[in-house]
Amino acid sequence: MRDKEMAGRGGYEPFYVMLNEYRIADLVITAHARSRYEDRSQGDGVTGKEAAFWLWQCLKQKRVKPHSPGEPEMYVVDNDLVMAARIVEMPGEADLYGNPLYKLIVVSFLGKMSENIDLRDLKSYFARQRSSRRVSLMQSGRKRR
């Protein structure tokens, strides 16, 4: 998702976007995140390629923020859409000053906080998800004697 060369004097737009202290130079959306985005977050039939372009624009406009200090891999887009993402250093890549560049890998889109209020407190949300899975597994599984 690097930006293109600017017309005119041979200048370039910055090829990275700052997210916290990281210089994000590339964006990857996994297949799972793409399907979750199409199903739950927008719901208007947006393809994964358009989702990547939209998210890159959000990064450039500083509309992506960390969810909370206790959850370093959770981010909020437009104060509503919660996504899980990993930031990985790109080997052999550096900016003009020698600072390392990073890749943002979007693992999943959890949903919108406006539609699911549980997403505001992720710790209790994940605890509830785990307990509901355990209960359904116990109900459907056989007990051995």
PDB file of all heavy atoms in Angstrom, residues 29 33-55 109:
ATOM      1  N   ILE A  29      -4.171  -7.569   4.974  1.00  0.00           N
ATOM      2  CA  ILE A  29      -5.421  -8.001   5.587  1.00  0.00           C
ATOM      3  C   ILE A  29      -5.568  -9.494   5.322  1.00  0.00           C
ATOM      4  O   ILE A  29      -5.573  -9.921   4.164  1.00  0.00           O
ATOM      5  CB  ILE A  29      -6.622  -7.219   5.021  1.00  0.00           C
ATOM      6  CG1 ILE A  29      -6.468  -5.735   5.347  1.00  0.00           C
ATOM      7  CG2 ILE A  29      -7.922  -7.757   5.589  1.00  0.00           C
ATOM      8  CD1 ILE A  29      -7.601  -4.881   4.870  1.00  0.00           C
ATOM      9  N   ALA A  33      -9.819 -11.809   8.244  1.00  0.00           N
ATOM     10  CA  ALA A  33     -10.202 -10.416   8.497  1.00  0.00           C
ATOM     11  C   ALA A  33     -11.034  -9.876   7.341  1.00  0.00           C
ATOM     12  O   ALA A  33     -11.997  -9.136   7.556  1.00  0.00           O
ATOM     13  CB  ALA A  33      -8.958  -9.563   8.700  1.00  0.00           C
ATOM     14  N   ARG A  34     -10.687 -10.254   6.130  1.00  0.00           N
ATOM     15  CA  ARG A  34     -11.441  -9.793   4.958  1.00  0.00           C
ATOM     16  C   ARG A  34     -12.883 -10.301   5.015  1.00  0.00           C
ATOM     17  O   ARG A  34     -13.834  -9.543   4.799  1.00  0.00           O
ATOM     18  CB  ARG A  34     -10.772 -10.274   3.680  1.00  0.00           C
ATOM     19  CG  ARG A  34     -11.382  -9.731   2.421  1.00  0.00           C
ATOM     20  CD  ARG A  34     -10.646 -10.171   1.185  1.00  0.00           C
ATOM     21  NE  ARG A  34      -9.242  -9.785   1.248  1.00  0.00           N
ATOM     22  CZ  ARG A  34      -8.235 -10.646   1.138  1.00  0.00           C
ATOM     23  NH1 ARG A  34      -8.461 -11.920   0.937  1.00  0.00           N
ATOM     24  NH2 ARG A  34      -6.997 -10.220   1.205  1.00  0.00           N
ATOM     25  N   SER A  35     -13.050 -11.574   5.358  1.00  0.00           N
ATOM     26  CA  SER A  35     -14.412 -12.117   5.437  1.00  0.00           C
ATOM     27  C   SER A  35     -15.190 -11.481   6.587  1.00  0.00           C
ATOM     28  O   SER A  35     -16.384 -11.211   6.455  1.00  0.00           O
ATOM     29  CB  SER A  35     -14.382 -13.630   5.572  1.00  0.00           C
ATOM     30  OG  SER A  35     -13.854 -14.009   6.818  1.00  0.00           O
ATOM     31  N   ARG A  36     -14.530 -11.258   7.719  1.00  0.00           N
ATOM     32  CA  ARG A  36     -15.195 -10.597   8.847  1.00  0.00           C
ATOM     33  C   ARG A  36     -15.577  -9.169   8.491  1.00  0.00           C
ATOM     34  O   ARG A  36     -16.640  -8.693   8.886  1.00  0.00           O
ATOM     35  CB  ARG A  36     -14.281 -10.585  10.073  1.00  0.00           C
ATOM     36  CG  ARG A  36     -13.996 -11.926  10.687  1.00  0.00           C
ATOM     37  CD  ARG A  36     -15.099 -12.364  11.559  1.00  0.00           C
ATOM     38  NE  ARG A  36     -15.233 -11.460  12.675  1.00  0.00           N
ATOM     39  CZ  ARG A  36     -15.624 -11.804  13.876  1.00  0.00           C
ATOM     40  NH1 ARG A  36     -15.908 -13.042  14.128  1.00  0.00           N
ATOM     41  NH2 ARG A  36     -15.761 -10.909  14.823  1.00  0.00           N
ATOM     42  N   TYR A  37     -14.711  -8.492   7.749  1.00  0.00           N
ATOM     43  CA  TYR A  37     -15.004  -7.120   7.340  1.00  0.00           C
ATOM     44  C   TYR A  37     -16.227  -7.091   6.430  1.00  0.00           C
ATOM     45  O   TYR A  37     -17.117  -6.259   6.600  1.00  0.00           O
ATOM     46  CB  TYR A  37     -13.794  -6.527   6.621  1.00  0.00           C
ATOM     47  CG  TYR A  37     -13.995  -5.103   6.161  1.00  0.00           C
ATOM     48  CD1 TYR A  37     -13.806  -4.043   7.041  1.00  0.00           C
ATOM     49  CD2 TYR A  37     -14.384  -4.817   4.870  1.00  0.00           C
ATOM     50  CE1 TYR A  37     -14.001  -2.749   6.632  1.00  0.00           C
ATOM     51  CE2 TYR A  37     -14.575  -3.515   4.443  1.00  0.00           C
ATOM     52  CZ  TYR A  37     -14.378  -2.484   5.327  1.00  0.00           C
ATOM     53  OH  TYR A  37     -14.577  -1.195   4.929  1.00  0.00           O
ATOM     54  N   GLU A  38     -16.263  -8.014   5.480  1.00  0.00           N
ATOM     55  CA  GLU A  38     -17.389  -8.055   4.544  1.00  0.00           C
ATOM     56  C   GLU A  38     -18.685  -8.425   5.258  1.00  0.00           C
ATOM     57  O   GLU A  38     -19.748  -7.904   4.935  1.00  0.00           O
ATOM     58  CB  GLU A  38     -17.100  -9.038   3.420  1.00  0.00           C
ATOM     59  CG  GLU A  38     -15.996  -8.570   2.493  1.00  0.00           C
ATOM     60  CD  GLU A  38     -15.524  -9.648   1.534  1.00  0.00           C
ATOM     61  OE1 GLU A  38     -16.029 -10.792   1.609  1.00  0.00           O
ATOM     62  OE2 GLU A  38     -14.634  -9.353   0.719  1.00  0.00           O
ATOM     63  N   ASP A  39     -18.612  -9.314   6.254  1.00  0.00           N
ATOM     64  CA  ASP A  39     -19.813  -9.787   6.938  1.00  0.00           C
ATOM     65  C   ASP A  39     -20.310  -8.833   8.015  1.00  0.00           C
ATOM     66  O   ASP A  39     -21.492  -8.518   8.067  1.00  0.00           O
ATOM     67  CB  ASP A  39     -19.568 -11.150   7.594  1.00  0.00           C
ATOM     68  CG  ASP A  39     -19.350 -12.237   6.570  1.00  0.00           C
ATOM     69  OD1 ASP A  39     -19.692 -12.021   5.388  1.00  0.00           O
ATOM     70  OD2 ASP A  39     -18.813 -13.293   6.950  1.00  0.00           O
ATOM     71  N   ARG A  40     -19.408  -8.387   8.866  1.00  0.00           N
ATOM     72  CA  ARG A  40     -19.858  -7.719  10.088  1.00  0.00           C
ATOM     73  C   ARG A  40     -19.612  -6.221  10.158  1.00  0.00           C
ATOM     74  O   ARG A  40     -20.419  -5.500  10.707  1.00  0.00           O
ATOM     75  CB  ARG A  40     -19.189  -8.365  11.298  1.00  0.00           C
ATOM     76  CG  ARG A  40     -19.567  -9.796  11.414  1.00  0.00           C
ATOM     77  CD  ARG A  40     -19.020 -10.384  12.640  1.00  0.00           C
ATOM     78  NE  ARG A  40     -19.416 -11.785  12.680  1.00  0.00           N
ATOM     79  CZ  ARG A  40     -19.313 -12.538  13.721  1.00  0.00           C
ATOM     80  NH1 ARG A  40     -18.814 -12.064  14.817  1.00  0.00           N
ATOM     81  NH2 ARG A  40     -19.690 -13.786  13.677  1.00  0.00           N
ATOM     82  N   SER A  41     -18.490  -5.763   9.647  1.00  0.00           N
ATOM     83  CA  SER A  41     -18.152  -4.369   9.910  1.00  0.00           C
ATOM     84  C   SER A  41     -18.902  -3.397   9.022  1.00  0.00           C
ATOM     85  O   SER A  41     -19.471  -2.434   9.491  1.00  0.00           O
ATOM     86  CB  SER A  41     -16.651  -4.159   9.777  1.00  0.00           C
ATOM     87  OG  SER A  41     -16.255  -4.466   8.464  1.00  0.00           O
ATOM     88  N   GLN A  42     -18.925  -3.629   7.727  1.00  0.00           N
ATOM     89  CA  GLN A  42     -19.559  -2.676   6.832  1.00  0.00           C
ATOM     90  C   GLN A  42     -20.884  -3.191   6.294  1.00  0.00           C
ATOM     91  O   GLN A  42     -21.855  -2.471   6.261  1.00  0.00           O
ATOM     92  CB  GLN A  42     -18.616  -2.320   5.669  1.00  0.00           C
ATOM     93  CG  GLN A  42     -17.339  -1.654   6.126  1.00  0.00           C
ATOM     94  CD  GLN A  42     -17.566  -0.330   6.817  1.00  0.00           C
ATOM     95  OE1 GLN A  42     -18.495   0.378   6.508  1.00  0.00           O
ATOM     96  NE2 GLN A  42     -16.730  -0.019   7.784  1.00  0.00           N
ATOM     97  N   GLY A  43     -20.894  -4.438   5.833  1.00  0.00           N
ATOM     98  CA  GLY A  43     -22.129  -5.032   5.378  1.00  0.00           C
ATOM     99  C   GLY A  43     -22.648  -4.505   4.047  1.00  0.00           C
ATOM    100  O   GLY A  43     -23.773  -4.757   3.675  1.00  0.00           O
ATOM    101  N   ASP A  44     -21.840  -3.745   3.296  1.00  0.00           N
ATOM    102  CA  ASP A  44     -22.324  -3.214   2.025  1.00  0.00           C
ATOM    103  C   ASP A  44     -21.625  -3.850   0.830  1.00  0.00           C
ATOM    104  O   ASP A  44     -21.573  -3.271  -0.243  1.00  0.00           O
ATOM    105  CB  ASP A  44     -22.181  -1.697   1.987  1.00  0.00           C
ATOM    106  CG  ASP A  44     -20.766  -1.235   2.275  1.00  0.00           C
ATOM    107  OD1 ASP A  44     -19.899  -2.086   2.492  1.00  0.00           O
ATOM    108  OD2 ASP A  44     -20.534  -0.012   2.269  1.00  0.00           O
ATOM    109  N   GLY A  45     -21.089  -5.065   1.008  1.00  0.00           N
ATOM    110  CA  GLY A  45     -20.491  -5.791  -0.103  1.00  0.00           C
ATOM    111  C   GLY A  45     -19.142  -5.272  -0.548  1.00  0.00           C
ATOM    112  O   GLY A  45     -18.761  -5.429  -1.694  1.00  0.00           O
ATOM    113  N   VAL A  46     -18.390  -4.652   0.340  1.00  0.00           N
ATOM    114  CA  VAL A  46     -17.075  -4.122  -0.001  1.00  0.00           C
ATOM    115  C   VAL A  46     -16.087  -5.273  -0.095  1.00  0.00           C
ATOM    116  O   VAL A  46     -16.050  -6.143   0.768  1.00  0.00           O
ATOM    117  CB  VAL A  46     -16.616  -3.099   1.066  1.00  0.00           C
ATOM    118  CG1 VAL A  46     -15.226  -2.594   0.778  1.00  0.00           C
ATOM    119  CG2 VAL A  46     -17.594  -1.942   1.139  1.00  0.00           C
ATOM    120  N   THR A  47     -15.282  -5.291  -1.141  1.00  0.00           N
ATOM    121  CA  THR A  47     -14.299  -6.358  -1.304  1.00  0.00           C
ATOM    122  C   THR A  47     -13.085  -6.091  -0.422  1.00  0.00           C
ATOM    123  O   THR A  47     -12.910  -4.999   0.110  1.00  0.00           O
ATOM    124  CB  THR A  47     -13.857  -6.458  -2.768  1.00  0.00           C
ATOM    125  OG1 THR A  47     -13.198  -5.239  -3.131  1.00  0.00           O
ATOM    126  CG2 THR A  47     -15.032  -6.712  -3.685  1.00  0.00           C
ATOM    127  N   GLY A  48     -12.229  -7.095  -0.313  1.00  0.00           N
ATOM    128  CA  GLY A  48     -11.045  -6.978   0.521  1.00  0.00           C
ATOM    129  C   GLY A  48     -10.061  -5.935   0.023  1.00  0.00           C
ATOM    130  O   GLY A  48      -9.408  -5.252   0.806  1.00  0.00           O
ATOM    131  N   LYS A  49      -9.936  -5.803  -1.295  1.00  0.00           N
ATOM    132  CA  LYS A  49      -9.012  -4.814  -1.853  1.00  0.00           C
ATOM    133  C   LYS A  49      -9.462  -3.399  -1.510  1.00  0.00           C
ATOM    134  O   LYS A  49      -8.663  -2.548  -1.151  1.00  0.00           O
ATOM    135  CB  LYS A  49      -8.932  -4.996  -3.363  1.00  0.00           C
ATOM    136  CG  LYS A  49      -7.734  -4.388  -3.999  1.00  0.00           C
ATOM    137  CD  LYS A  49      -7.666  -4.771  -5.459  1.00  0.00           C
ATOM    138  CE  LYS A  49      -6.225  -4.996  -5.824  1.00  0.00           C
ATOM    139  NZ  LYS A  49      -6.060  -5.349  -7.215  1.00  0.00           N
ATOM    140  N   GLU A  50     -10.764  -3.158  -1.607  1.00  0.00           N
ATOM    141  CA  GLU A  50     -11.298  -1.848  -1.238  1.00  0.00           C
ATOM    142  C   GLU A  50     -11.157  -1.617   0.265  1.00  0.00           C
ATOM    143  O   GLU A  50     -10.951  -0.490   0.704  1.00  0.00           O
ATOM    144  CB  GLU A  50     -12.757  -1.745  -1.665  1.00  0.00           C
ATOM    145  CG  GLU A  50     -12.935  -1.720  -3.164  1.00  0.00           C
ATOM    146  CD  GLU A  50     -14.374  -1.893  -3.585  1.00  0.00           C
ATOM    147  OE1 GLU A  50     -15.233  -2.128  -2.707  1.00  0.00           O
ATOM    148  OE2 GLU A  50     -14.642  -1.806  -4.788  1.00  0.00           O
ATOM    149  N   ALA A  51     -11.273  -2.677   1.055  1.00  0.00           N
ATOM    150  CA  ALA A  51     -11.105  -2.558   2.500  1.00  0.00           C
ATOM    151  C   ALA A  51      -9.675  -2.158   2.837  1.00  0.00           C
ATOM    152  O   ALA A  51      -9.442  -1.336   3.727  1.00  0.00           O
ATOM    153  CB  ALA A  51     -11.467  -3.870   3.188  1.00  0.00           C
ATOM    154  N   ALA A  52      -8.699  -2.726   2.124  1.00  0.00           N
ATOM    155  CA  ALA A  52      -7.304  -2.371   2.366  1.00  0.00           C
ATOM    156  C   ALA A  52      -7.054  -0.912   2.005  1.00  0.00           C
ATOM    157  O   ALA A  52      -6.377  -0.192   2.744  1.00  0.00           O
ATOM    158  CB  ALA A  52      -6.380  -3.278   1.553  1.00  0.00           C
ATOM    159  N   PHE A  53      -7.599  -0.454   0.888  1.00  0.00           N
ATOM    160  CA  PHE A  53      -7.445   0.950   0.498  1.00  0.00           C
ATOM    161  C   PHE A  53      -8.099   1.857   1.526  1.00  0.00           C
ATOM    162  O   PHE A  53      -7.536   2.869   1.926  1.00  0.00           O
ATOM    163  CB  PHE A  53      -8.038   1.189  -0.897  1.00  0.00           C
ATOM    164  CG  PHE A  53      -7.955   2.616  -1.338  1.00  0.00           C
ATOM    165  CD1 PHE A  53      -6.755   3.144  -1.774  1.00  0.00           C
ATOM    166  CD2 PHE A  53      -9.072   3.434  -1.296  1.00  0.00           C
ATOM    167  CE1 PHE A  53      -6.662   4.465  -2.168  1.00  0.00           C
ATOM    168  CE2 PHE A  53      -8.998   4.757  -1.682  1.00  0.00           C
ATOM    169  CZ  PHE A  53      -7.787   5.275  -2.127  1.00  0.00           C
ATOM    170  N   TRP A  54      -9.310   1.502   1.984  1.00  0.00           N
ATOM    171  CA  TRP A  54     -10.015   2.297   2.987  1.00  0.00           C
ATOM    172  C   TRP A  54      -9.222   2.371   4.293  1.00  0.00           C
ATOM    173  O   TRP A  54      -9.077   3.443   4.879  1.00  0.00           O
ATOM    174  CB  TRP A  54     -11.393   1.684   3.235  1.00  0.00           C
ATOM    175  CG  TRP A  54     -12.108   2.293   4.392  1.00  0.00           C
ATOM    176  CD1 TRP A  54     -12.764   3.493   4.431  1.00  0.00           C
ATOM    177  CD2 TRP A  54     -12.228   1.744   5.703  1.00  0.00           C
ATOM    178  NE1 TRP A  54     -13.279   3.707   5.675  1.00  0.00           N
ATOM    179  CE2 TRP A  54     -12.966   2.649   6.471  1.00  0.00           C
ATOM    180  CE3 TRP A  54     -11.775   0.564   6.283  1.00  0.00           C
ATOM    181  CZ2 TRP A  54     -13.271   2.412   7.807  1.00  0.00           C
ATOM    182  CZ3 TRP A  54     -12.083   0.332   7.607  1.00  0.00           C
ATOM    183  CH2 TRP A  54     -12.816   1.250   8.359  1.00  0.00           C
ATOM    184  N   LEU A  55      -8.674   1.232   4.725  1.00  0.00           N
ATOM    185  CA  LEU A  55      -7.915   1.211   5.972  1.00  0.00           C
ATOM    186  C   LEU A  55      -6.618   1.999   5.842  1.00  0.00           C
ATOM    187  O   LEU A  55      -6.197   2.677   6.776  1.00  0.00           O
ATOM    188  CB  LEU A  55      -7.632  -0.227   6.398  1.00  0.00           C
ATOM    189  CG  LEU A  55      -7.066  -0.413   7.793  1.00  0.00           C
ATOM    190  CD1 LEU A  55      -7.965   0.216   8.842  1.00  0.00           C
ATOM    191  CD2 LEU A  55      -6.874  -1.874   8.090  1.00  0.00           C
ATOM    192  N   PHE A 109     -11.475  -8.352  12.241  1.00  0.00           N
ATOM    193  CA  PHE A 109     -12.330  -7.235  12.625  1.00  0.00           C
ATOM    194  C   PHE A 109     -13.369  -7.803  13.582  1.00  0.00           C
ATOM    195  O   PHE A 109     -14.103  -8.725  13.229  1.00  0.00           O
ATOM    196  CB  PHE A 109     -13.020  -6.621  11.402  1.00  0.00           C
ATOM    197  CG  PHE A 109     -12.093  -5.844  10.520  1.00  0.00           C
ATOM    198  CD1 PHE A 109     -11.571  -6.418   9.378  1.00  0.00           C
ATOM    199  CD2 PHE A 109     -11.743  -4.549  10.830  1.00  0.00           C
ATOM    200  CE1 PHE A 109     -10.714  -5.712   8.555  1.00  0.00           C
ATOM    201  CE2 PHE A 109     -10.887  -3.832  10.015  1.00  0.00           C
ATOM    202  CZ  PHE A 109     -10.373  -4.415   8.879  1.00  0.00           C
TER     203      PHE A 109
END
